[in-house]
Amino acid sequence: MPNIKIFSGSSHPDLSQKIADRLGLELGKVVTKKFSNQETCVEIGESVRGEDVYIVQSGCGEINDNLMELLIMINACKIASASRVTAVIPCFPYARQDKKDKGFFDIPVDNLYAEPAVLKWIKENINEWKNCTIVSPDAGGAKRLTSIADRLNVDFALIHKERKKANEVDRMVLVGDVKDRVAILVDDMADTCGTVCHAADKLVSAGATKVYAILTHGIFSGPAISRINNANFEAVVVTNTIPQEDKIKHCNKIQYVAVRTHECV
């Protein structure tokens, strides 16, 4: 049985360290730098021969650079005769374009779900959760929506949206009832947050007493923070698949669930 070694890419070292701490392991020694022509260089600072190697690199920040860094780290470990190399990618880059299904690779992929952390947060932080409605901001999240609603034994609703173009919603129609209920919006990611903030307004106008948003990946680009600050949210909850410390400084509505232990911060 090979020993486990964990290496961190440069995208989210804090999460990598927390994973290693949870497992009682030390992070492996690795140095990443760039040559003068901006090519990425990675040096693995210890032997991985015959080892079971895990590389943690999230799809955030400088996404293209971080993706290339991950590929170079994988190659470096394979060349150094690692027994097995597994990439742990908390936030999958290019997932919005479904590239993971279009020939980027043909190796086994396990999709990890944040649902247990979501359920725990709801039960521990929303006193009225038994009188809530789980809401998906689009029809594409129906499977995720019904799974959470079934686990909580509560009602669900969804919002049908029509877009003029990417990141711009033209019209929203609520399908379901949220009157005199807590509404909990659930989605897999939030980028510029135009859709989810518009959805919050729709739910309030439909009679929801409070609105929460639980979003697996908080990308929060462009005007996202300003929009959240001005929206009708009690809280916007994300996982720590992407670093959020800077965003939290500018928006006290943002909270995160630590995916490593399901603890809330």
Side-chain angles (χ1 to χ4, degrees), residues 67 87 206:
L67 180 57

Side-chain angles (χ1 to χ4, degrees), residues 11-12 15 19 55-59 88-92 112 216-217 239-242 259:
S11 67
H12 199 348
L15 178 59
I19 292 171
I55 302 172
V56 182
Q57 181 80 312
S58 197
V88 180
I89 310 174
C91 182
F92 196 98
L112 304 179
T216 305
H217 306 296
T239 68
N240 62 336
T241 57
I242 295 172
V259 291

Side-chain angles (χ1 to χ4, degrees), residues 209-221:
T209 58
K210 295 179 181 178
V211 180
Y212 295 84
I214 300 181
L215 315 161
T216 305
H217 306 296
I219 299 171
F220 299 142
S221 64

Side-chain angles (χ1 to χ4, degrees), residues 97-105:
Q97 302 181 50
D98 292 326
K99 298 300 185 188
K100 62 182 181 298
D101 299 321
K102 295 183 179 180
F104 269 18
F105 49 76

Side-chain angles (χ1 to χ4, degrees), residues 179-193:
K179 185 174 176 56
D180 298 324
R181 290 173 171 267
V182 172
I184 304 175
L185 280 161
V186 177
D187 206 354
D188 59 346
M189 66 175 61
D191 189 357
T192 59
C193 291

Side-chain angles (χ1 to χ4, degrees), residues 43-61:
E43 297 177 0
I44 305 298
E46 57 190 82
S47 174
V48 296
R49 181 180 295 275
E51 306 281 19
D52 193 359
V53 173
Y54 291 81
I55 302 172
V56 182
Q57 181 80 312
S58 197
C60 57

Side-chain angles (χ1 to χ4, degrees), residues 162-218:
E162 297 176 357
R163 291 185 182 273
K164 287 181 178 179
K165 57 184 180 181
N167 288 333
E168 184 176 332
V169 177
D170 182 30
R171 190 169 68 97
M172 286 185 162
V173 178
L174 176 64
V175 181
D177 183 22
V178 296
K179 185 174 176 56
D180 298 324
R181 290 173 171 267
V182 172
I184 304 175
L185 280 161
V186 177
D187 206 354
D188 59 346
M189 66 175 61
D191 189 357
T192 59
C193 291
T195 295
V196 73
C197 290
H198 192 175
D201 292 338
K202 185 72 178 179
L203 294 170
V204 170
S205 66
T209 58
K210 295 179 181 178
V211 180
Y212 295 84
I214 300 181
L215 315 161
T216 305
H217 306 296

